[in-house]
Amino acid sequence: MPTSPSSRECCRKDTIKGVPGGFRDGKCNSLVYLVRLSYITGQARTSGSLAGRMLIMIFRHKFDSARGLATASFAAIAMSSVPAFAQQAPGTPAPADDTQYDDQAIVVIGVTKQAANVQDVPTAIVAFSGDDLTDRNVTNIQAIAAQTPGLLIRESPNNSSSINIGLRGQVQNDNLATVDPSVGVYVDGVYWARSYGLNADVLDVRSVQVLKGPQGTLFGRNTSAGALVVETNDPDLNRFGASLSASYGNFNERIGTAVVNIPLIKDRLGVRGAIRINKRDGTVKGYSLPSVLAGTPTLTGARYNNRDILQGRLKVLAMPTDNIEIQLSGEWYDSEQQGAARFLSHASPALGAAGTTLANYDLANLDRVSITLPLDGITGFGPSTQGIAPQPFTNTKTQTYRAGIKFDFGDATFSLLNSYRKVRSHSINDLDGTALVAGNNDYVIDLEQYTSEIQLAGNTFGDKLDYVVGLSYIAEKGNDNSQGTTYTGPAYTSGNTFRSNIKNDAVGIYGQANFHVTDQIDLVAGVRHSWDRRKNVSDNINFRVGSVDTLPTGANRCISPSVLPTADGHCFVTASDSYQAWSYTFGANFHLTDDVMIYAKTGKGYRAGAQQLRTVGIVGGKDTSIASLPEQNFEHEIGIKSQFLDRKITLNIAGYYNTVKDFQSSQILTVPGTTTRYTSVVNPADLRNYGVEADLTVRPITGLAFYGSLAANNEKYKNCANDRCPDYIRDIIQTQFNVGGSYEGDLGFARLGLNVNYSWTGKVHLDAFNREVDDIAIALFGSTAPLANPAVAAQLGALAIPDAEWARISTRRSVGILDARAGLKFGDDDQFEIFAFGRNLTNERYLQHTQYLFSVTTSSIRNDPRTYGVGVSAKF
């Protein structure tokens, strides 16, 4: 599919080395990037053509899932062999372990979803090839954030297999199935609606791209802040290849990886498989709390924050003719982990004096937990020792299947991509972070996702206009269940059970064009219209066991007072919501020279409204079951992409200003006068962000490179009109930079490779939930009744952590992390390698998450300590 062969583009032929599908037969020719049309099967009453059915849904605003359509769609693919969107040109040699990229010319997603040089795309993009990730010691998705200033990726506090992502002042801080992200994740063109299984290693990856700013036109809803795009290696149809690697590190870390590529029929059919086993003992030792308090710490033998992960992928690529590409793939993830391990990071100084006088709550142990408790744990013990109960764990299994086909008609390419993804996860968290059985949450997730997308991309008017149009559909269904339990004394237990059956459907129709006014000037325009329909059937129960509450022992009651239980004790509430919105992108870019481009653009992104999974009915005259409003990001960006001195220096700078209307925030609140706490997704205000991002790479001589990047963001709430607006904004990075260098040189007997990277991140607010004195009464008495006693009420107020102290303990300090890797490569084409690595070499320990509990304590989760090891690899 030829693109405009301007002098600007053709002059880059010599810089794109080994790029699959980049330039064929000496012409500037880019393949369409795998595009997904999200189509979801379900329970349709009728069937018909995919496009026709989707259009009917759009015009009627109906979103019933269509099982018949799914069957028809997949059958059509099967009859033509089952699809793949290879960006690798048939016959292009490529090593089995990875595709080689020139760092200055990584192929990324262009403005019309066609492959493009990263320096020619008028938006802020940080892109890494598979080799980049290996050399920089980036082994998992979470570590990409250290290489990408402005990007925050952290392990979810509720599930160690999932991650939360933030970018340019927007973040998803809860992993509920009714809350969508603001940074969409796409793996081989497929949108992963939920991040379970994403806290994984980068396995046989061709490239990782971080697209900053609203991407709603091409990628759809829930990319209002940006997109994280992961592309894995496709089969090579011409050469057999295989690679093996193994490493061993401290904490008994064992990682083994195998990749094999088999061309079954030359130029026509190939298969590629990859598998990785990642095991590690826990980094946190378990001590019994009574023994610690007695001054004789005794190990329990338990270890937390271990790893036991198995992940694999299989891809089949077929080219029955020169203009038809078909791909089928499956990806699997299986993890069993003891964690995440929380610790008691702070206790109110007043707690010890009050503990002996408050009835119905056993503080005999808690008041002896170092009242001047430091942030790194119990006094006298470092951040790698703690006792916790109950035992936290996370068990997650995911499976993802793709089927796609592409027809290349020369000046246009038609593609269809279908997918199915299944997530099952069970986790238990110890909320208080002590050996006391004081509070825990139990989560069970069982979700299915179906997606489909059709797309037509090409160029016309004598290659003056590149375009893409498409239609997408996604459906998600399943259960998101949780139970929170609080033990407020030997004879009293309370808790809430939140069960939710969800069904989400969405349709999008879009188009975008890039008009080449001259060889130097391009104009870009694109729009998308999105429709969302959501349904949530919740069954939320409040249970009590003990004599403090007025309910009989073991009785259940509906959390929502307006809901009457069914005969078998269920409390069903049904909520249905629909949304629709326009997203757009308009911009212009001007090439001052072949190597210097300036651009300006404006865009709007859309994040769907969030339903209340943990609804508690009418609170203070407000219906807590009402969904939050959609979040809309209006952003303006200007930038320059440049290369100098024969492309030895690459400097890219971008500045942006955005206004996020109806900013979504997940907050923990308490029903006044009751024992019930609940999570509510609200729109506390609008949010304003502005900032600057810069990336610099210098290659003074062959084999030596220095790199650095910087991001600074200023955020502020606007139009905050209610008491649910926190004092500060959580999980947003204000300042971040990284610097590093790499060297490759021939020692005669081997090739030496060195890489050192230092990443610094400024302070980050970890929690911003509102706090209420009622919380204390609930924690200590199971109800707020004691507040009627003025003396007790005064005592409870004295227990609360002062705001100034809370601001300190809930803010992660600025921190710098040093990583390094060194390797020796031997043999032809660097066939063998021995290497050593180190992560967090200065052993910086900081808080990744802090939660405010019972108004008198906080519990926290730490980052990993220093890790290091050695390894070997071979490719054939």
Side-chain angles (χ1 to χ4, degrees):
M1 192 184 99
T3 58
S4 176
S6 65
S7 60
R8 179 181 77 243
E9 293 169 320
C10 289
C11 73
R12 291 190 180 274
K13 284 192 291 184
D14 61 334
T15 71
I16 302 186
K17 301 174 182 178
V19 173
F23 297 87
R24 300 180 186 171
D25 303 324
K27 296 181 179 180
C28 298
N29 189 323
S30 55
L31 287 176
V32 175
Y33 171 73
L34 286 199
V35 184
R36 9 153 260 327
L37 161 56
S38 308
Y39 161 61
I40 311 266
T41 77
Q43 299 129 13
R45 303 180 187 86
T46 60
S47 61
S49 72
L50 176 63
R53 175 64 176 167
M54 289 183 177
L55 288 173
I56 291 173
M57 292 175 62
I58 291 172
F59 291 121
R60 294 183 179 176
H61 203 181
K62 298 291 186 182
F63 293 90
D64 291 329
S65 302
R67 179 176 300 161
L69 279 181
T71 304
S73 179
F74 277 94
I77 293 173
M79 286 188 291
S80 47
S81 277
V82 187
F85 290 15
Q87 291 187 3
Q88 178 173 319
T92 302
D97 62 330
D98 202 353
T99 301
Q100 300 298 312
Y101 279 81
D102 182 283
D103 188 57
Q104 303 175 49
I106 295 177
V107 169
V108 298
I109 299 170
V111 294
T112 56
K113 270 193 171 177
Q114 302 176 55
N117 186 307
V118 65
Q119 290 299 111
D120 287 334
V121 179
T123 193
I125 299 179
V126 177
F128 306 96
S129 69
D131 284 344
D132 290 336
L133 298 175
T134 299
D135 293 343
R136 296 192 185 192
N137 207 19
V138 175
T139 59
N140 56 53
I141 295 294
Q142 192 175 167
I144 292 170
Q147 309 285 329
T148 311
L151 177 68
L152 172 69
I153 302 179
R154 72 170 191 181
E155 181 180 296
S156 169
N158 298 330
N159 190 300
S160 56
S161 74
S162 64
I163 56 177
N164 294 337
I165 308 177
L167 185 63
R168 287 189 174 179
Q170 294 178 259
V171 65
Q172 177 193 13
N173 52 30
D174 207 337
N175 278 358
L176 299 177
T178 54
V179 181
D180 287 326
S182 53
V183 179
V185 177
Y186 297 82
V187 180
D188 283 336
V190 173
Y191 173 58
W192 287 16
R194 307 299 153 204
S195 66
Y196 300 102
L198 258 178
N199 194 18
D201 290 346
V202 284
L203 174 62
D204 194 31
V205 166
R206 178 167 59 216
S207 72
V208 174
Q209 305 164 36
V210 179
L211 286 67
K212 300 182 179 181
Q215 305 296 323
T217 304
L218 293 182
F219 289 93
R221 68 200 234 296
N222 307 329
T223 56
S224 58
L228 176 63
V229 178
V230 179
E231 296 177 340
T232 65
N233 284 308
D234 288 331
D236 182 347
L237 301 184
N238 293 298
R239 191 179 71 174
F240 172 83
S243 66
L244 298 170
S245 68
S247 66
Y248 183 82
N250 61 331
F251 299 107
N252 196 28
E253 181 185 77
R254 300 93 72 201
I255 300 177
T257 306
V259 179
V260 63
N261 185 95
I262 304 174
L264 301 175
I265 302 175
K266 183 178 175 61
D267 292 336
R268 295 303 180 196
L269 180 65
V271 62
R272 186 182 186 96
I275 188 170
R276 174 168 292 176
I277 300 174
N278 187 332
K279 293 178 177 287
R280 185 188 73 181
D281 293 346
T283 60
V284 176
K285 300 176 183 178
Y287 284 79
S288 67
L289 185 59
S291 68
V292 171
L293 299 175
T296 57
T298 303
L299 283 170
T300 64
R303 300 184 74 102
Y304 310 105
N305 294 355
N306 73 316
R307 282 203 304 262
D308 189 353
I309 302 173
L310 173 65
Q311 60 186 115
R313 184 184 308 111
L314 183 67
K315 300 179 80 172
V316 177
L317 173 63
M319 295 195 65
T321 68
D322 289 342
N323 67 337
I324 299 177
E325 295 184 9
I326 299 169
Q327 191 178 85
L328 179 68
S329 69
E331 184 159 336
W332 301 270
Y333 172 92
D334 188 342
S335 71
E336 297 182 1
Q337 302 178 67
Q338 301 299 316
R342 290 180 177 273
F343 74 104
L344 183 65
S345 54
H346 187 88
S348 172
L351 194 56
T356 58
T357 61
L358 293 172
N360 301 320
Y361 192 68
D362 181 12
L363 295 176
N365 288 327
L366 191 58
D367 66 354
R368 290 178 175 81
V369 178
S370 180
I371 298 306
T372 56
L373 201 65
L375 283 181
D376 56 350
I378 297 174
T379 301
F381 295 88
S384 295
T385 62
Q386 66 195 64
I388 52 180
Q391 304 299 307
F393 70 85
T394 299
N395 296 336
T396 301
K397 298 179 185 293
T398 73
Q399 47 189 308
T400 307
Y401 303 97
R402 298 167 56 253
I405 188 166
K406 182 180 70 175
F407 300 91
D408 189 344
F409 300 109
D411 289 336
T413 301
F414 173 83
S415 26
L416 165 66
L417 181 63
N418 292 327
S419 78
Y420 168 82
R421 178 169 166 80
K422 173 76 171 178
V423 172
R424 300 190 69 180
S425 185
H426 183 201
S427 61
I428 288 182
N429 298 330
D430 173 59
L431 293 179
D432 55 276
T434 74
L436 297 172
V437 184
N440 68 77
N441 282 343
D442 190 334
Y443 301 90
V444 178
I445 308 298
D446 189 353
L447 298 170
E448 293 180 284
Q449 168 192 304
Y450 308 81
T451 71
S452 183
E453 182 163 355
I454 54 176
Q455 175 193 280
L456 181 68
N459 53 64
T460 187
F461 299 119
D463 294 334
K464 296 289 287 184
L465 182 71
D466 301 327
Y467 66 88
V468 60
V469 293
L471 184 65
S472 66
Y473 178 51
I474 177 171
E476 184 182 21
K477 62 180 181 179
N479 300 303
D480 187 331
N481 302 331
S482 64
Q483 177 173 293
T485 304
T486 302
Y487 303 89
T488 54
Y492 186 74
T493 299
S494 66
N496 310 111
T497 298
F498 298 94
R499 302 187 185 100
S500 183
N501 180 269
I502 65 102
K503 184 179 179 182
N504 302 330
D505 297 87
V507 171
I509 184 169
Y510 63 91
Q512 187 154 305
N514 183 22
F515 180 57
H516 307 291
V517 180
T518 69
D519 283 350
Q520 284 72 44
I521 300 175
D522 294 332
L523 299 178
V524 178
V527 294
R528 173 188 286 257
H529 196 67
S530 301
W531 294 264
D532 283 90
R533 190 185 72 170
R534 303 188 160 222
K535 183 178 181 180
N536 172 32
V537 180
S538 60
D539 180 15
N540 299 340
I541 298 172
N542 198 6
F543 64 87
R544 301 284 184 269
V545 178
S547 60
V548 175
D549 198 276
T550 56
L551 289 178
T553 300
N556 292 338
R557 70 178 183 189
C558 297
I559 292 177
S560 175
S562 59
V563 177
L564 296 177
T566 61
D568 54 355
H570 292 287
C571 303
F572 294 114
V573 176
T574 299
S576 297
D577 297 280
S578 298
Y579 311 95
Q580 56 179 306
W582 287 96
S583 301
Y584 59 80
T585 297
F586 299 104
N589 50 285
F590 178 65
H591 283 260
L592 301 176
T593 70
D594 287 338
D595 294 322
V596 179
M597 178 185 73
I598 58 175
Y599 68 90
K601 68 171 189 173
T602 185
K604 175 193 171 188
Y606 157 69
R607 180 181 178 187
Q611 287 188 312
Q612 309 298 347
L613 188 148
R614 295 167 188 161
T615 179
V616 293
I618 307 298
V619 175
K622 297 180 180 179
D623 186 353
T624 64
S625 66
I626 296 177
S628 73
L629 297 173
E631 182 181 274
Q632 301 183 77
N633 180 24
F634 299 84
E635 183 166 294
H636 315 286
E637 179 180 329
I638 58 173
I640 180 171
K641 295 195 171 186
S642 58
Q643 293 180 302
F644 307 97
L645 300 180
D646 197 23
R647 297 177 184 159
K648 289 184 171 64
I649 298 176
T650 300
L651 175 63
N652 299 331
I653 303 174
Y656 62 89
Y657 182 99
N658 68 44
T659 299
V660 183
K661 300 288 291 184
D662 298 314
F663 175 68
Q664 292 180 11
S665 177
S666 181
Q667 300 184 17
I668 296 178
L669 303 171
T670 302
V671 178
T674 75
T675 61
T676 302
R677 292 164 61 82
Y678 65 101
T679 300
S680 181
V681 183
V682 297
N683 304 103
D686 297 339
L687 182 65
R688 185 271 296 147
N689 296 276
Y690 62 82
V692 63
E693 301 157 341
D695 299 278
L696 173 68
T697 301
V698 180
R699 301 176 182 274
I701 60 175
T702 301
L704 179 64
F706 301 99
Y707 56 86
S709 54
L710 167 72
N713 183 84
N714 181 282
E715 75 282 354
K716 182 180 180 181
Y717 275 124
K718 297 175 63 178
N719 305 321
C720 187
N722 61 56
D723 60 358
R724 290 180 177 177
C725 186
D727 297 330
Y728 44 79
I729 305 168
R730 62 182 295 194
D731 297 331
I732 292 180
I733 297 177
Q734 294 181 328
T735 309
Q736 183 180 8
F737 72 83
N738 85 299
V739 293
S742 62
Y743 172 75
E744 287 189 1
D746 194 344
L747 302 179
F749 66 95
R751 286 178 54 80
L752 172 66
L754 300 172
N755 185 274
V756 177
N757 183 82
Y758 178 79
S759 175
W760 183 91
T761 303
K763 67 179 182 180
V764 178
H765 296 297
L766 300 176
D767 203 342
F769 293 152
N770 286 346
R771 304 178 302 285
E772 306 169 23
V773 174
D774 278 0
D775 292 352
I776 310 170
I778 292 166
L780 300 183
F781 300 103
S783 74
T784 57
L787 288 178
N789 184 326
V792 175
Q795 190 179 53
L796 292 177
L799 281 175
I801 300 174
D803 285 351
E805 180 69 0
W806 167 246
R808 182 184 71 82
I809 62 180
S810 65
T811 300
R812 192 194 79 185
R813 63 181 175 85
S814 59
V815 63
I817 300 297
L818 179 66
D819 298 334
R821 187 183 191 275
L824 288 174
K825 297 180 180 180
F826 306 87
D828 296 337
D829 195 27
D830 299 333
Q831 186 176 5
F832 305 100
E833 183 186 22
I834 58 174
F835 58 89
F837 62 88
R839 307 183 189 98
N840 189 14
L841 288 173
T842 57
N843 201 31
E844 294 287 342
R845 304 306 305 275
Y846 58 88
L847 305 183
Q848 289 184 306
H849 180 268
T850 290
Q851 184 162 342
Y852 187 70
L853 296 167
F854 314 138
S855 295
V856 291
T857 67
T858 66
S859 68
S860 301
I861 299 173
R862 301 183 186 88
N863 68 312
D864 277 348
R866 173 173 46 232
T867 56
Y868 49 86
V870 296
V872 296
S873 66
K875 57 184 180 181
F876 311 96

